[in-house]
Amino acid sequence: MYYGEKRIDAPIRWGMVGGGRGSQIGYIHRSAALRDNNFKLVAGALDIDPERGKEFGLELYIDEDRLYPDYKTMFEAEAKRPDGIQAVTIATPNSTHFEIAKAAILAGLHVVCEKPMCFTYDQAKELVELCEKHKKIIGVTYGYSGHQMIQQARQMVAHGDLGEIRVINMSFAYGGYNWKIEEVNAAAKWRFDPKKAGPTFILGDVGTHPLFIIEAIIPDMEIKNLMCTRHAYVEGRELEDNAFTIMNLKGTKSVQEDAQVYCWSSSINCGARHYHKIRIVGSKASIEWDDERPNQMLYEIEGEPSRVLERGAGYLYDEAKVEDRIGGGHAEGLFEAWSNLYARFAMAMERTDKGEKIDFWYPDVYAGANGIKWLDKCVESADNGSVWVDYD
């Protein structure tokens, strides 16, 4: 169990690009990063409107002279300071992620980036190469993967509790965009603009979340090929609001040859708040996790009564109990999950700077790149008549 002990030598001096007043995601980034004293927010270029960004930054107790009109000015000015930022979070629309992340790495900064990390797989490969060359990390905020029961599921697969994986059924299918919300909500409008959102909406917005979760649970999983169909059901949208993807997997130690994955990504699932669920079916047993009930996981062995595993319980694997923050019986949520990820980001940054090995998992630049590759393949399949496309 985690009791708030120091995990790194000193808090990382940290800045933000975006995430200002009205940002849907800025607050959870700050809450997660600051919770365990792993980061200290000292600078920001928080808004496309510099005055509005400065006004909000002062409310966050950032010194006025470290509130900048744009990220380029911030990177240049902070590099001249002996106490300049060491890392930056990118919480801006999709179209800006690549250029800001690239500039940050070249400025000698570690990065935490909203997903998708960039638009194209070529851009993703460039970011991988830059991270390797400059010895910096990019952490991608697949926030749901920080839940304790995801770590438990990973250990169950590793210990063979499920046997060989045969079928994975996953969905992230909410209903909040079932109408033309972009006409009244500015934060939603850019998501349907290909120039700002990229080549997909719902696949990139939510589809990559369950994809990374199963990659975290089954680290030796490899996609052989996939088929995708996507459609915009709300009139006038340029990008899809619903998509189905089927994948065949390669045989590995954990996965049976030609195991199949089905993914439903949607923003038009009427009445659903999230409908973010993952069911993994093995040759011995199955598990099922629902992000709206993240503290429990269904564990079903053929011929035995179904059982529900509880977060914080003594029977969990040790690797899962390490991320327990408040003990069993208390409800943890998304803020705790994000805090677990930000703690891993901080430790990865420190170990990278020290030249030490990173012996734990986190959603890194390689995971971000694989998410972009998956989106490219989904678009390729869907736009060519929903044909099967090879993944490699």
Side-chain angles (χ1 to χ4, degrees), residues 189-245:
K189 188 174 182 179
W190 67 265
R191 298 177 184 276
F192 295 97
D193 181 350
K195 294 179 181 178
K196 296 181 179 179
T200 81
F201 164 52
I202 203 61
L203 285 162
D205 191 48
V206 300
T208 54
H209 277 298
L211 176 71
F212 177 72
I213 287 177
I214 62 170
E215 289 173 344
I217 294 173
I218 314 167
D220 65 346
M221 186 190 86
E222 295 183 45
I223 301 172
K224 180 185 295 183
N225 54 21
L226 63 76
M227 178 178 65
C228 178
T229 179
R230 62 178 184 154
H231 191 76
Y233 283 96
V234 175
E235 186 177 355
R237 286 180 173 166
E238 293 186 70
L239 296 174
E240 86 286 344
D241 49 29
N242 193 84
F244 300 99
T245 307

Side-chain angles (χ1 to χ4, degrees), residues 66 68 86 114 130 137 151 160 170 174 239 243 263 268 275 352 372 377:
R66 300 182 79 171
Y68 301 98
Q86 300 164 289
E114 268 299 313
L130 286 171
I137 76 152
Q151 185 70 281
M170 60 193 196
Y174 64 93
L239 296 174
C263 180
I268 60 159
Y275 206 80
T352 298
I372 301 302
K377 294 296 184 178

Side-chain angles (χ1 to χ4, degrees), residues 289-362:
W289 180 81
D290 179 349
D291 94 356
E292 294 180 69
R293 299 167 182 81
N295 298 291
Q296 293 82 36
M297 183 167 64
L298 187 65
Y299 179 31
E300 297 179 315
I301 303 173
E302 182 64 30
E304 298 184 13
S306 296
R307 60 202 76 175
V308 177
L309 306 184
E310 291 276 351
R311 184 207 59 73
Y315 48 72
L316 301 183
Y317 284 106
D318 289 340
E319 293 86 349
K321 288 187 284 187
V322 166
E323 297 196 332
D324 178 17
R325 289 175 173 267
I326 53 175
H330 301 94
E332 287 187 341
L334 194 60
F335 282 75
E336 287 77 17
W338 277 61
S339 296
N340 286 336
L341 286 191
Y342 259 96
R344 295 182 205 171
F345 294 155
M347 291 188 292
M349 290 173 187
E350 183 180 74
R351 292 194 188 184
T352 298
D353 288 344
K354 290 181 175 181
E356 297 177 355
K357 181 181 178 181
I358 297 174
D359 56 358
F360 53 88
W361 69 270
Y362 68 97

